[in-house]
Amino acid sequence: MTDPDRVAAVYRQEYGRCVATLVRVLGDIDLAEEAVQEAFAIALERWPAVGLPPNPGAWIVTTARNKAIDRLRREAAREDKHAQAALLQQPDEPQEVGPVRDDQLRLIFTCCHPSLAPAAQVALTLRLLGGLETPEIARAFLVPEPTMAQRIVRAKRKIKDAAIPYRIPAEAELPDRLPPVLAVLYLIFNEGYAASAGDELVRADLCAEAIRLTRELAGLMPDEPEVAGLLALLLLTESRRPARTAPDGSLVLLPDQDRSLWNRDLIAEGQAIVRACLRRNRPGPYQIQAAIAAVHSDAPTAADTDWAQILALYDQLIAVAPTAVVALNRAVAVAELRGPAAGLAEVDRLELPSYHLFHSTRADLLARLGRSGEAAAAYERALELATNATERAFLAGRLSAVR
């Protein structure tokens, strides 16, 4: 791995933690972000010459904090001197207070303040915690990049102008903050499991961080079934990751995966959580998705998949989460159970023109029906929209085959 690659790897692994720590210390999102980015720029200059420090994340936090202090010294007015002094005297690791003991979880809950619009809550937290760039977040939301950039800027401005406090929510407030927090963790995992851009299909660091934070949240809120449902969903999905790519790095779809590579320990843990959720009988979207993943994990081969049960679960899911993406996934189950023509009829009812998986799903069903020309056109559109190199290579191969 080249030196820039090493720094990039540390950036992916540590960015969210460093920003969360600096936000706690500085109390200013923009200043924390700028300081962390400046610290990484310094690392890119220094580390190739002197090597990586023993604890790269701590080095970044210390360097960023010093840069922030220097900036405050230069820019602060006389009346801010007391605030500067407090910052200078503050220890690197302030004492934990309140129910949320993880800096990143604390920042997630802070960003998910109810005065911010839900979409802005999720977008801002993905930017700060996941280290995702604006184009990646825009693709996750299926909106244009300028639209997403405006949401993030407005959310930061709202926090500053409204003086939204950087405090831990009280125990009674935590459940009301929960839906966007779960959405953030889910989207961070999804970006890791299927990176929206780049040469690699998977960003294992994001997957691991999303699971770690969800475990922390499950410990914080053990009586919330949707938290348990999300944890089960992430574990069961993560269990399949070793089989998602071939030795040459190419994409392997679920029906073609070598199931002996699936992580049985994660499957056992995820299935146990799903069973516990069923006993609670308080179903929600993440629990239902986890149940769908559990059915897939039960099948020793693709041919053994219980598609009737999966379709029934998708019917429940679409009743509580009636989104076009859920309907698209349901259409895949319909195609497996009732044939590609029935699945295509479901797909053609949907409006997802900017979603590459919509077009690739449609292309696959058209190809199975022998409508090669239409399938090729759909694959071409999917290829135009896909931005991950591994997915693009897969779609190019499918396009070549139907041609």
Side-chain angles (χ1 to χ4, degrees), residues 292-304:
I292 292 169
V295 175
H296 280 296
S297 69
D298 272 334
T301 68
D304 295 318

Side-chain angles (χ1 to χ4, degrees), residues 7 10-11 14 17-18 21-22 35-67 92-93:
V7 178
V10 174
Y11 181 91
E14 300 291 345
R17 293 185 184 130
C18 295
T21 299
L22 264 294
V36 169
Q37 289 166 0
E38 188 173 358
F40 272 107
I42 295 169
L44 195 56
E45 295 176 358
R46 294 187 184 174
W47 290 357
V50 301
L52 262 67
N55 188 334
W59 189 98
I60 291 293
V61 168
T62 300
T63 303
R65 180 172 173 268
N66 291 338
K67 288 296 177 182
D92 289 335
E93 295 297 332

Side-chain angles (χ1 to χ4, degrees), residues 83-152:
Q84 284 185 54
L87 179 61
L88 286 167
Q89 295 300 319
Q90 189 168 4
D92 289 335
E93 295 297 332
Q95 184 178 358
E96 298 284 357
V97 293
V100 182
R101 305 189 67 82
D102 184 283
D103 270 344
Q104 289 163 286
L105 272 182
R106 178 188 289 110
L107 184 55
I108 289 175
F109 276 104
T110 299
C111 290
C112 293
H113 192 277
S115 66
L116 297 177
Q121 293 172 348
V122 177
L124 180 59
T125 316
L126 285 173
R127 175 73 193 98
L128 298 178
L129 270 297
L132 274 63
E133 300 297 334
T134 302
E136 296 173 310
I137 303 171
R139 282 190 287 270
F141 278 83
L142 306 179
V143 299
E145 182 180 340
T147 301
M148 184 52 63
Q150 290 172 2
R151 284 184 190 175
I152 294 172

